[in-house]
Amino acid sequence: MDTQKQEIEQLQQRLTQYNYEYHVLDSPTISDFEYDALMRRLIELEEAHPEFKTADSPTQRVGGQLLEGFTEVAHTVQMQSLTDVFSKEELLAFDERVRSSLGTDTVPYAVEMKIDGLSVSLEYENGRFVRGSTRGNGYVGEDITANLRTVKSIPLRLKENLPYLEVRGEVFMPRQSFIRLNEQRESIGEALFANPRNAAAGSLRQLDSRITAQRNLDIYVFNVQQIEGKDLSEHIESIEYLASLGFKTIPEKKIFIGMENVWNEIQRISELRGELPFDIDGAVIKVNRFDQRQVLGVTIKTPRWATAFKFPAERRESKLLDIALQ
Ligand SMILES: NC(=O)c1cnc(OC2CCCC2)nc1N
């Protein structure tokens, strides 16, 4: 029996690592064929020894149960929204307010893509994924844990057993998956999704997680909401730490001082748009240092230490999309 337990635990660890390499690092080290064979072996062993089938085993991503509805989740830390700016003048005004509140001209900003998806909260206890929820109104969201477990770039087990961690990320559907999904729906006469964001929202709100599992959703994590067992003092450090835990974090971890440099980065991100495999609708500019964020504080709904520079809506040349928009 002991050897069976060892074989199961070793397979769980190996398949967790292979899943991480494929879905988070996008650099697999074994073939799909080998991965599938190992997964079939683990499923077989766990069926024979259910006492070793742990909730965070790689075989446990798709639940069997059909939900009646979604229970509510009260967010301990509000999931704030961002103020939007649409011009360089408005961006400069944001910076002016930040610098005068801080009484300094040295404000390091993090600038990152604004993923056009759904904001979600992920909670981990002792390093294990225990709950996932939608943003809702920022205070109360819906429990979509079973559906988020099917997103392969969401770790079920962290590389450190932190007592508690809550992170925030944006779930999205890659554009190719969106086009394929609409082609499938068109072929069976179902209504099409208007855009990848709506398709991701519809996929996360399924009562049957087996349907969610087929939608090829992905996620970028970009904020620590709450953490026990680790001190963090700035945004970039927190993102690098989340990456070390096994999360797929928002790309581009650079700091900029001075709004000309920030503006150039926003332009660079805007030029990236056409070649990204997913939709972005802007860039997010955040004060990097948490002590400076503390001084700036938050308003009812939005932080004073961040803003979103919005890009104009993209015109996508695609027949399916035109049908969807009719
Ligand atoms: N859609 C995004 O990519 C995105 C959204 N929000 C944030 O930051 C919020 C979180 C905490 C206050 C600012 N960053 C992002 N990259």
Side-chain angles (χ1 to χ4, degrees):
M1 182 58 81
D2 187 50
T3 52
Q4 301 280 23
K5 183 171 189 296
Q6 274 178 333
E7 187 184 355
I8 288 175
E9 284 174 349
Q10 197 209 30
L11 275 174
Q12 287 172 343
Q13 199 282 324
R14 281 179 67 189
L15 285 161
T16 298
Q17 178 60 17
Y18 293 143
N19 181 76
Y20 169 72
E21 289 165 354
Y22 189 97
H23 292 283
V24 177
L25 302 183
D26 193 18
S27 53
T29 55
I30 62 167
S31 69
D32 294 4
F33 177 78
E34 285 172 285
Y35 180 90
D36 294 343
L38 288 170
M39 183 60 91
R40 275 197 304 278
R41 173 73 180 142
L42 180 54
I43 290 168
E44 190 185 296
L45 283 171
E46 287 182 346
E47 285 318 308
H49 304 276
E51 68 279 19
F52 302 140
K53 187 181 351 178
T54 53
D56 52 27
S57 167
T59 62
Q60 303 304 302
R61 280 204 176 264
V62 187
Q65 78 288 350
L66 202 55
L67 292 182
E68 296 298 311
F70 297 106
T71 55
E72 284 192 341
V73 173
H75 300 306
T76 311
V77 169
Q78 183 193 2
M79 289 179 71
Q80 294 217 302
S81 48
L82 284 160
T83 54
D84 292 341
V85 295
F86 298 89
S87 70
K88 187 173 182 180
E89 291 67 32
E90 287 177 286
L91 183 69
L92 295 177
F94 162 76
D95 172 54
E96 173 55 37
R97 286 195 302 276
V98 165
R99 284 185 294 109
S100 63
S101 303
L102 292 174
T104 170
D105 278 353
T106 315
V107 182
Y109 286 110
V111 182
E112 53 199 42
M113 300 175 188
K114 188 170 181 298
I115 312 297
D116 190 8
L118 261 315
S119 230
V120 297
S121 155
L122 307 175
E123 296 176 79
Y124 293 78
E125 287 171 2
N126 302 317
R128 277 150 176 66
F129 180 50
V130 293
R131 187 164 69 169
S133 54
T134 62
R135 178 178 174 279
N137 61 10
Y139 297 95
V140 177
E142 292 171 317
D143 187 324
I144 53 167
T145 307
N147 290 340
L148 287 170
R149 289 176 64 88
T150 72
V151 179
K152 299 232 178 24
S153 44
I154 291 179
L156 299 180
R157 189 189 307 181
L158 301 180
K159 293 178 186 287
E160 262 181 62
N161 290 350
L162 281 174
Y164 179 79
L165 171 70
E166 180 189 8
V167 299
R168 182 172 170 182
E170 197 86 356
V171 172
F172 63 94
M173 184 182 288
R175 200 171 298 129
Q176 279 315 312
S177 306
F178 162 69
I179 290 169
R180 238 188 345 262
L181 176 62
N182 265 351
E183 283 168 354
Q184 283 165 11
R185 292 172 73 93
E186 193 198 17
S187 67
I188 54 176
E190 277 189 357
L192 305 186
F193 287 108
N195 54 51
R197 190 205 169 284
N198 289 9
S203 303
L204 275 182
R205 295 181 49 75
Q206 288 294 325
L207 291 170
D208 182 351
S209 60
R210 286 168 299 188
I211 297 175
T212 310
Q214 293 157 6
R215 297 291 175 82
N216 193 34
L217 296 177
D218 203 340
I219 190 171
Y220 279 120
V221 166
F222 51 70
N223 200 58
V224 172
Q225 296 291 108
Q226 302 178 77
I227 188 165
E228 278 172 35
K230 177 78 179 178
D231 287 329
L232 296 163
S233 60
E234 54 176 57
H235 176 66
I236 296 297
E237 176 198 16
S238 68
I239 295 300
E240 284 161 357
Y241 178 63
L242 291 181
S244 75
L245 290 176
F247 287 105
K248 188 167 184 178
T249 54
I250 196 90
E252 322 290 342
K253 301 174 187 57
K254 282 183 278 186
I255 296 295
F256 300 89
I257 294 182
M259 292 316 277
E260 277 317 302
N261 296 325
V262 168
W263 181 249
N264 292 338
E265 180 64 2
I266 291 170
Q267 300 315 305
R268 187 185 72 84
I269 290 172
S270 169
E271 281 145 25
L272 276 179
R273 239 180 154 185
E275 62 215 51
L276 290 171
F278 51 85
D279 283 357
I280 62 171
D281 60 346
V284 185
I285 299 91
K286 303 174 177 177
V287 169
N288 185 53
R289 285 171 42 184
F290 289 169
D291 60 333
Q292 290 188 330
R293 290 188 182 189
Q294 198 66 34
V295 171
L296 292 162
V298 296
T299 66
I300 300 285
K301 279 181 75 86
T302 59
R304 290 197 188 89
W305 43 262
T307 192
F309 184 91
K310 298 298 289 282
F311 297 147
E314 254 186 327
R315 181 82 192 89
R316 289 227 147 270
E317 302 312 316
S318 105
K319 181 175 74 68
L320 285 176
L321 189 56
D322 291 345
I323 296 170
L325 294 178
Q326 273 161 11

